[in-house]
Coordinates of all heavy atoms in Angstrom, one line a residue:
S1 N -3.8 176.8 11.8 CA -5.1 177.4 11.4 C -6.3 176.6 12.0 O -7.4 177.0 11.8 CB -5.2 177.3 9.9 OG -5.1 176.0 9.4
G2 N -6.0 175.6 12.8 CA -7.1 175.0 13.5 C -7.6 173.6 12.9 O -8.6 173.1 13.4
Y3 N -7.0 173.2 11.9 CA -7.4 171.9 11.2 C -6.8 170.8 11.9 O -5.6 170.8 12.2 CB -7.1 171.9 9.8 CG -7.5 170.7 9.0 CD1 -8.8 170.6 8.5 CD2 -6.6 169.7 8.7 CE1 -9.2 169.5 7.9 CE2 -7.0 168.6 8.0 CZ -8.3 168.4 7.6 OH -8.7 167.3 6.9
S4 N -7.6 169.8 12.2 CA -7.1 168.6 13.0 C -7.0 167.3 12.2 O -7.8 167.1 11.3 CB -7.9 168.4 14.3 OG -9.2 168.0 14.0
T5 N -6.0 166.5 12.5 CA -5.8 165.2 11.9 C -5.7 164.2 13.0 O -4.8 164.4 13.9 CB -4.6 165.1 10.9 OG1 -4.7 166.2 9.9 CG2 -4.4 163.8 10.3
I6 N -6.5 163.2 13.1 CA -6.6 162.3 14.1 C -6.3 160.8 13.6 O -6.9 160.4 12.6 CB -7.9 162.2 14.9 CG1 -8.3 163.7 15.1 CG2 -7.8 161.4 16.1 CD1 -7.6 164.4 16.3
R7 N -5.4 160.1 14.4 CA -5.2 158.7 14.0 C -6.4 157.9 14.1 O -7.3 158.1 15.0 CB -4.1 158.2 14.9 CG -3.6 156.7 14.7 CD -2.7 156.3 15.9 NE -2.1 155.0 15.5 CZ -0.9 154.9 14.9 NH1 -0.3 155.9 14.5 NH2 -0.5 153.7 14.6
D8 N -6.7 157.0 13.2 CA -7.9 156.2 13.2 C -8.2 155.4 14.5 O -9.4 155.4 14.9 CB -7.9 155.2 12.0 CG -8.1 155.7 10.7 OD1 -8.4 156.9 10.6 OD2 -7.8 155.1 9.7
S9 N -7.2 155.0 15.1 CA -7.4 154.2 16.3 C -8.0 155.1 17.5 O -8.5 154.6 18.5 CB -6.2 153.5 16.8 OG -5.1 154.4 17.1
V10 N -7.9 156.3 17.4 CA -8.4 157.2 18.6 C -9.4 158.2 18.0 O -9.9 158.9 18.8 CB -7.2 157.9 19.3 CG1 -6.2 156.9 19.8 CG2 -6.5 158.9 18.4
K11 N -9.7 158.1 16.7 CA -10.7 159.1 16.2 C -12.0 158.9 16.8 O -12.5 157.7 17.1 CB -10.8 158.7 14.7 CG -11.6 159.9 13.9 CD -11.4 159.7 12.4 CE -10.0 159.9 11.9 NZ -9.9 159.8 10.4
G12 N -12.7 159.9 17.2 CA -14.0 159.8 17.8 C -13.9 159.8 19.4 O -14.9 159.9 20.1
R13 N -12.7 159.6 19.9 CA -12.5 159.6 21.3 C -11.5 160.6 21.8 O -11.6 161.2 22.8 CB -11.8 158.2 21.7 CG -12.7 157.0 21.4 CD -12.1 155.7 21.9 NE -10.8 155.4 21.4 CZ -9.7 155.2 22.1 NH1 -9.8 155.4 23.4 NH2 -8.6 154.8 21.6
F14 N -10.6 161.0 21.0 CA -9.6 162.1 21.3 C -9.8 163.3 20.4 O -10.1 163.2 19.3 CB -8.1 161.6 20.9 CG -7.6 160.5 21.9 CD1 -8.4 159.8 22.7 CD2 -6.3 160.1 21.8 CE1 -8.0 158.7 23.5 CE2 -5.7 159.2 22.6 CZ -6.6 158.4 23.4
T15 N -9.7 164.5 21.1 CA -9.8 165.7 20.4 C -8.6 166.7 20.9 O -7.9 166.4 21.9 CB -11.1 166.4 20.6 OG1 -11.3 166.6 22.1 CG2 -12.3 165.6 20.1
L16 N -8.5 167.7 20.1 CA -7.3 168.6 20.3 C -7.7 170.0 20.6 O -8.8 170.4 20.1 CB -6.4 168.6 19.1 CG -5.8 167.3 18.7 CD1 -5.2 167.3 17.3 CD2 -4.8 166.8 19.6
S17 N -7.0 170.8 21.3 CA -7.2 172.2 21.4 C -5.9 172.9 21.7 O -5.0 172.3 22.2 CB -8.3 172.5 22.5 OG -7.8 172.1 23.8
R18 N -5.9 174.1 21.4 CA -4.7 174.9 21.8 C -5.0 176.3 22.2 O -6.2 176.8 21.9 CB -3.8 175.1 20.5 CG -4.4 175.8 19.3 CD -3.6 175.6 18.0 NE -2.2 176.0 18.2 CZ -1.2 175.7 17.3 NH1 -1.5 174.9 16.3 NH2 -0.1 176.1 17.5
D19 N -4.3 176.9 23.1 CA -4.4 178.2 23.6 C -3.2 179.0 23.3 O -2.2 178.9 24.1 CB -4.8 178.1 25.1 CG -5.0 179.6 25.8 OD1 -4.7 180.5 25.1 OD2 -5.7 179.5 26.8
N20 N -3.1 179.6 22.2 CA -1.8 180.3 21.8 C -1.4 181.4 22.8 O -0.3 181.7 22.9 CB -2.0 180.8 20.4 CG -2.0 179.8 19.3 OD1 -1.5 178.6 19.5 ND2 -2.8 180.0 18.2
A21 N -2.4 182.0 23.4 CA -2.1 183.1 24.3 C -1.3 182.5 25.5 O -0.5 183.2 26.1 CB -3.4 183.7 24.8
K22 N -1.5 181.3 25.9 CA -0.9 180.6 27.0 C 0.2 179.7 26.5 O 0.9 179.1 27.3 CB -1.9 179.9 27.9 CG -2.9 180.8 28.6 CD -3.8 179.9 29.5 CE -4.8 180.8 30.2 NZ -5.7 180.0 31.0
N23 N 0.4 179.7 25.2 CA 1.4 178.8 24.6 C 1.3 177.3 25.0 O 2.2 176.6 25.3 CB 2.8 179.3 25.0 CG 3.7 179.3 23.8 OD1 3.3 179.5 22.7 ND2 5.1 179.1 24.1
T24 N 0.0 176.9 25.0 CA -0.3 175.5 25.5 C -1.1 174.8 24.4 O -1.7 175.4 23.5 CB -1.1 175.5 26.8 OG1 -2.3 176.3 26.7 CG2 -0.3 176.1 27.9

């Protein structure tokens, strides 16, 4: 549904995205 959970050591530096149409 688009909710992200990020490990503390990378929070603020790493982000996520997905493209379901391309299965990536």
Side-chain angles (χ1 to χ4, degrees):
S1 59
Y3 183 78
S4 63
T5 304
I6 310 287
R7 183 184 186 92
D8 283 348
S9 61
V10 303
K11 194 172 292 184
R13 300 189 296 121
F14 291 11
T15 58
L16 303 166
S17 66
R18 64 195 298 165
D19 186 339
N20 289 332
K22 295 182 178 179
N23 227 29
T24 57

